[in-house]
Amino acid sequence: METRLKDAGYRITQSRRAVLRALEGGPAHVSAAQVLALGRKTCKTLSRASVYRTLEALEATGALRALPSPDGRVYVRVTDGHHHLVCQGCGDVQDFDGCALCNAWAPVAEAEGFSVAGHLLEVFGLCKSCREEEVVHVSEGSERS
Amino acid sequence: METRLKDAGYRITQSRRAVLRALEGGPAHVSAAQVLALGRKTCKTLSRASVYRTLEALEATGALRALPSPDGRVYVRVTDGHHHLVCQGCGDVQDFDGCALCNAWAPVAEAEGFSVAGHLLEVFGLCKSCREEEVVHVSEGSERS
DNA sequence: CGCTTAAAGAGACTGTGTCTCGATAAGTAT
DNA sequence: ATACTTATCGAGACACAGTCTCTTTAAGCG
Ligand SMILES: [Zn+2]
Ligand SMILES: [Zn+2]
Ligand SMILES: [Zn+2]
Ligand SMILES: [Zn+2]
């Protein structure tokens, strides 16, 4: 990632390095706030503005992708997916791969004069563990008294 | 939608009605802020809190679905199509058909132990007219010297 | 009509993301 | 190594979304 930044003409600074380390060490989905917190461990003066600037730079070079999530924006390394299985039981979100499949509709969109910049596929349902749980408390409806 | 709320045990108030009207009259994708603005046209004292409360109630009854978008959260009626071309220029949203195509990934999700209840495909980009406009202000590159 | 209580509205509060500005240090040329 | 240029920095102001609390209001019902 660092090389990528440098090649694109960005300077490599302490702050940027801290952000990179945070991204590498942190979870697959990170929020800007998390990056800031993690980054401060290696660069005590790291500022919020720098975090956003660096994330933006990384996004511009294609190393990172910002993606909307139920609570704010999260960043994922481009190697990760943008297709989500959203569990309606526990609220958990997991990625799954499927770009090859969903690319099929891109031509459909373009046939309508639309130029595609990106897409988001949200699949709603129940995850494995929630489905098993569901079987247990079947009777109690989701009714309001 | 109103019946749905009532059946679930919610009271039908002026504020709620204003929100419902806003949702029916407004665009396919609306933000909470938009609902508030639209709703104030029919209920001058409508408050932000009420908007959020009503949206939450509608979501709970399954009449509405909140979904993360590149800029904030937007709400869509569940009865509407679930394949959208969202223009990042003018904000316009148009449906397009593609279920036949996107159903291909359902087995993929189920292979992960996930039971699919529904899905939503959001395609972001530029509509025809916005793209033509874009051509005009090309020169100002987003390039880094 | 009057009671009960869900719901309303106002506004404080938190957190995210943007922006500006003077200070700093990265890269480069001497 | 030193000095210079300028991208980048950190701090803090700002705008806005969303949540929460508290007091008042009105929906639904007998
Ligand atoms: Zn679950
Ligand atoms: Zn895809
Ligand atoms: Zn457009
Ligand atoms: Zn579909």
Side-chain angles (χ1 to χ4, degrees):
Chain A
M1 278 204 282
E2 187 171 321
T3 343
R4 206 146 176 181
L5 273 187
K6 194 182 276 178
D7 289 352
Y10 292 95
R11 290 184 185 175
I12 303 305
T13 68
Q14 293 310 316
S15 304
R16 300 236 224 251
R17 243 193 268 270
V19 170
L20 294 185
R21 270 191 291 261
L23 288 172
E24 272 153 18
H29 285 63
V30 275
S31 65
Q34 283 177 304
V35 172
L36 177 58
L38 288 170
R40 282 238 167 102
K41 289 186 179 172
T42 50
C43 177
K44 295 183 76 157
T45 64
L46 181 62
S47 70
R48 203 156 22 128
S50 290
V51 169
Y52 282 105
R53 280 188 286 238
T54 305
L55 290 176
E56 190 186 355
L58 285 168
E59 217 186 333
T61 65
L64 211 61
R65 173 168 297 146
L67 92 103
S69 94
D71 26 39
R73 215 174 298 171
V74 296
Y75 294 85
V76 297
R77 289 190 287 274
V78 291
T79 51
D80 295 343
H82 55 279
H83 297 149
H84 300 149
L85 299 177
V86 183
C87 178
Q88 292 174 320
C90 60
D92 188 51
V93 178
Q94 55 178 305
D95 285 352
F96 80 101
D97 188 23
C99 235
L101 292 170
C102 77
N103 273 342
W105 45 254
V108 178
E110 264 150 21
E112 307 218 24
F114 196 87
S115 88
V116 176
H119 63 271
L120 184 65
L121 176 60
E122 304 282 314
V123 179
F124 303 96
L126 286 178
C127 72
K128 197 169 183 177
S129 55
C130 279
R131 194 165 37 160
E132 282 158 8
E133 230 171 74
E134 188 86 344
V135 184
V136 181
H137 10 160
V138 216
S139 43
E140 56 168 300
S142 51
E143 224 56 51
R144 278 173 62 85
S145 53
Chain B
M1 278 204 282
E2 189 172 320
T3 345
R4 206 147 176 180
L5 272 187
K6 194 181 277 178
D7 289 351
Y10 293 96
R11 291 185 183 175
I12 302 306
T13 68
Q14 293 310 314
S15 304
R16 300 237 222 252
R17 243 193 269 270
V19 170
L20 294 184
R21 270 192 290 262
L23 289 172
E24 275 153 15
H29 284 62
V30 274
S31 66
Q34 283 177 305
V35 172
L36 178 57
L38 289 170
R40 282 236 167 103
K41 289 186 181 175
T42 50
C43 177
K44 296 185 72 160
T45 64
L46 181 63
S47 71
R48 208 164 9 143
S50 291
V51 169
Y52 281 105
R53 282 188 286 239
T54 305
L55 290 175
E56 190 186 356
L58 285 169
E59 216 186 334
T61 66
L64 212 61
R65 173 165 292 150
L67 80 101
S69 93
D71 25 40
R73 211 175 301 171
V74 296
Y75 296 84
V76 297
R77 288 189 292 275
V78 290
T79 52
D80 293 351
H82 56 277
H83 295 149
H84 298 149
L85 299 178
V86 184
C87 178
Q88 292 174 321
C90 60
D92 189 52
V93 178
Q94 53 178 308
D95 286 351
F96 79 100
D97 189 23
C99 239
L101 291 171
C102 75
N103 272 343
W105 44 255
V108 178
E110 264 151 23
E112 307 218 24
F114 196 87
S115 86
V116 176
H119 64 271
L120 190 62
L121 174 61
E122 302 287 310
V123 179
F124 302 98
L126 286 178
C127 72
K128 197 169 182 176
S129 55
C130 280
R131 191 167 39 159
E132 281 158 7
E133 229 171 76
E134 189 87 342
V135 182
V136 181
H137 349 198
V138 216
S139 44
E140 55 173 300
S142 49
E143 223 54 52
R144 285 177 55 84
S145 54

